[in-house]
Amino acid sequence: MPALKHLLIGALLAISVKASAADPLFPFVMPWDDASASPTNLSARLEKPAGGRGFVGIKDGRLAIKGKRVRFLGVNLCFGACFPTHADAEKVAARMAKLGIGCVRFHHMDTLHAPEGLLRADRRTLDPAMLDRLDYFIAALKKNGIYTNLNLHVGRIYPGMPIWQGMPQYFKGVDQFFPAMIESQKEFARALLTHVNPYTGKAYYEEPAVAFVEINNENSLIGQWWQGGLDALPEPYSGELQGRWSRWLESFAGTGEKVRALLQENREPLGEELLKTVDREKGDWVLEQHGEAKAGMAVRSNAGWSVDVSRPGTEAWHVQVNRPGLRLLAGKPYTFTFAAQASKERRITVTLSQIRAPWNVLWTTQIEVGPEHRDYRLIITPGAKDEEARIGFTNLGQEAGRFLFTTPSLRQGTAPAISGDGEPVLLRKRDFAGNGLPLQQAWIRFLWEQERTYWQEMARFLKSDLKVRSLLIGTQAGFSPLPLQAELDVVDVHGYWQHPVFPKQEWDSVQWTVHNISMAGAPGGGALGPMAMMRPAGKPFICTEYSHPAPNTYGTESLPLLAAYAALQDWDAVFAFAYSHRRDDWDARRFPGFFDIDQHPVKLATLPAAFNLFCRGDLQPSESGSIIPISPGQALEAVRLAGPALSAETFGVNREDRFLNRVSVTFDGQTAAPAAKGDKRDPIGWESGTPDQSGVVTIDTAKTKGVIGRGTGRKFTLGDVSITPGPALQDWSVILVTELDRTTRSRKAPKRFLVTATGTSENTGMGWKNRARSTVGKDWGTAPSLVEGISTTVGFTSAKSIRAWALDERGQRGAEVPTQKNSMTIGPEHRTLWYEVEVP
């Protein structure tokens, strides 16, 4: 039988397999157009229509409507999925409302032309057919109580603008200073936001159902320069930036003589060699092999060494060579020179990093190597002091081949990296550390002021010229410095746990990996902790992209962990990335790629508990926390040393110690009133695991309980609910118990609970390529999606008796489940992910 064969293959590949009387995986497809009444229907929690009480505003630094706080559990739609047919739009909007989705972010509408995008092939004018679909869909969402987040620039390539090899994707960074591109952004914004939606009778600039308008996704002049994306900037862009730099520098420094002095001030001469030979026979460089990678290393008279990779690793970094024992100073320039060859053209990474936990990267860059001898000169500025650092070459393990490295040298200081003729040339990132400290500081201030001018100009245009009343988002903090983004209405971040890695080229559909590990109990909060460190005091804080991408077999943890942590940290909105990327393909009955959740059953099943934790307010914000003051000078210096990703962690906060308490930052050096120190029991328990096994996260609130992670066989007592996870394919599961809203005012009516029990999920015939289950290449499998039936015992200790029913894919009652007084034991025999429980 094909189904049995598939299940046996899946069992052999699983990390840990437990015997079960029933098939370990079974089909479970939640219909794309289901809006039926059921215990899992959350649509009554959404006020209809969206915007009926006015625009989303801000009160006391939080999102509010008419002074009442509001939170959103949202999703993204990308590319053609933004434009369903009218008939599909009605069904998708109603289904989203049932899932509790309160806001939709329209993303990548501008990247492709119609029918996958909003623009015609000229990339300038709106396509009438696609605009009509968008209008109808937004009207349908509004009717169902769902707000909109409109993105103005995500992936549009500006028509007629010259391109060049190695340019930043979508002209990022360049479009913040080049006038023609800024005007193009305004042209698009004017066309879209002043357009009157015939189905609502309102233009988008005056539509209260539009909660947010985002100016430019993941975009920053400072960020692109820091990554080296502007080092090869050609005309006419270099001329524009050069002119701005010259004028700014003259205004900043004064006379031409003072400018020339600034260009040459405080350069450090080269110091002594730091890579002195210790062992002439064995060499001082250490070969590392990880996973299943195999490689050999041979020293060549200590003038260099060769590395032969005979078997690639599942990750490119599984083969690397490092020189430990370095003691480096933060902010000081170091010159690293060497020669390299490879058996074929390859891109490898040069990294300066710690040699102990937390293994922070202090500096990194990528280089191209090939069959011919090439000399390299890199200027390194460590982002932090470290007494035990190492420098090395990594990403050697992506395929078999040979590398030769010779004449390595590392010395503090630098020879002059720019011309000494007094001309204020543009500072390339690769040469930045070779300039004197005053010039470095001036350059960072210049970039900061240029970027700030862009965000303020666009905000003024939208608010004053177009009269937009929605809240404005600039871009995401981390890509752009947090203080700049905090000057707009709302601060936004993005977070991914184990984002796809592409060893050869971006978005390669064949060569990629997604590390198949759980985030439950991860040190420092995994992907959540770094985002919390960017929350500004007194500003609405949202996360518009969050994902644990497929085919991660632990992906069902993503939304409950996000909702619980965001509630604890007092955020205002969270958006799953993404609902769908697909045009007119809503009934896929399988998850077709990394991000879409609309057909991912174990992620969808956790939405009711996630909604209750975050939007209903089951989990209240932490009463204790830290407020970190940051002065403008500190922010500028931090960018100079370590780039634009500023956070409380940049300024000394230990994320490991603080991530379960509220953290926020203030600017201008002023400290806000400290958060009260409470003595309440922590609603989230974060039990760390080991490097090889995930930990366990518990959630304990009055109305929602949960156990997430590797808790098999342990009994967790969470107030008046006990949860004992049973055997699972990975010894890992997500068990959630959330109280449902009452359907009657009668106090005699029993309380109702939704119990969800989820584990791994995959598509039929999924083509796993390795035992680690980290890639399927193009073999995502076929419909239907398959899920694991989780065994667990759930008890309601204060009840005398309970009744329970298995729910079908629509969340409607099926067969009654046997109970033992005040508890029930469930398992794969019920072939479902969720259950309704009545407690008299």
Side-chain angles (χ1 to χ4, degrees), residues 167-336:
M167 62 177 281
Q169 191 178 37
Y170 311 135
F171 286 107
K172 290 184 179 184
V174 182
D175 64 359
Q176 294 192 357
F177 70 84
F178 198 67
M181 294 182 184
I182 296 173
E183 186 55 41
S184 178
Q185 293 172 55
K186 292 179 179 179
E187 178 184 290
F188 177 85
R190 184 182 291 108
L192 176 61
L193 298 176
T194 63
H195 163 75
V196 176
N197 184 334
Y199 305 105
T200 64
K202 288 186 176 293
Y204 287 120
Y205 76 86
E206 60 177 354
E207 172 56 74
V210 176
F212 311 103
V213 172
E214 181 182 310
I215 297 172
N216 208 332
N217 173 72
E218 294 185 354
N219 201 323
S220 168
L221 171 60
I222 295 172
Q224 282 302 318
W225 174 82
W226 182 263
Q227 295 173 29
L230 305 184
D231 278 3
L233 196 65
E235 291 289 355
Y237 315 114
S238 60
E240 174 64 29
L241 193 59
Q242 175 72 63
R244 291 182 177 223
W245 169 231
S246 297
R247 293 188 297 272
W248 185 92
L249 196 55
E250 185 171 339
S251 173
F252 173 76
T255 66
E257 191 64 33
K258 290 182 179 179
V259 169
R260 284 189 291 274
L262 179 64
L263 294 176
Q264 298 295 331
E265 188 177 355
N266 288 355
R267 285 211 181 96
E268 291 196 29
L270 288 173
E272 65 177 14
E273 178 61 58
L274 299 178
L275 300 181
K276 294 178 180 179
T277 301
V278 176
D279 191 326
R280 292 185 176 276
E281 184 176 335
K282 295 182 179 180
D284 304 310
W285 293 76
V286 179
L287 175 67
E288 289 190 21
Q289 303 170 70
H290 301 271
E292 299 178 355
K294 296 293 183 184
M297 178 177 173
V299 177
R300 296 194 167 195
S301 303
N302 205 50
W305 65 95
S306 61
V307 176
D308 287 280
V309 180
S310 57
R311 184 164 70 190
T314 54
E315 302 289 345
W317 59 267
H318 282 179
V319 177
Q320 53 186 281
V321 61
N322 295 289
R323 170 66 153 82
L326 302 177
R327 298 180 179 180
L328 305 179
L329 301 174
K332 291 291 186 180
Y334 294 82
T335 298
F336 183 39

Side-chain angles (χ1 to χ4, degrees), residues 76 105 107 151 214 216-218 473 475-479 492-496 527 530-531 534 541-547 575 577:
N76 285 257
R105 180 174 182 245
H107 192 57
N151 291 189
E214 181 182 310
N216 208 332
N217 173 72
E218 294 185 354
I473 303 165
T475 196
Q476 288 66 41
F479 294 88
D492 183 19
V493 291
H494 288 170
Y496 289 83
M531 292 192 293
M534 295 183 181
F541 188 71
I542 70 176
C543 172
T544 57
E545 291 184 21
Y546 187 81
S547 177
F575 291 70
F577 192 87

Side-chain angles (χ1 to χ4, degrees), residues 56 77-78 313 401 506 526 580 660 670 771:
V56 177
L77 288 172
C78 304
E506 288 295 299
S580 176
L660 288 179
Q670 301 297 315
R771 291 182 59 84

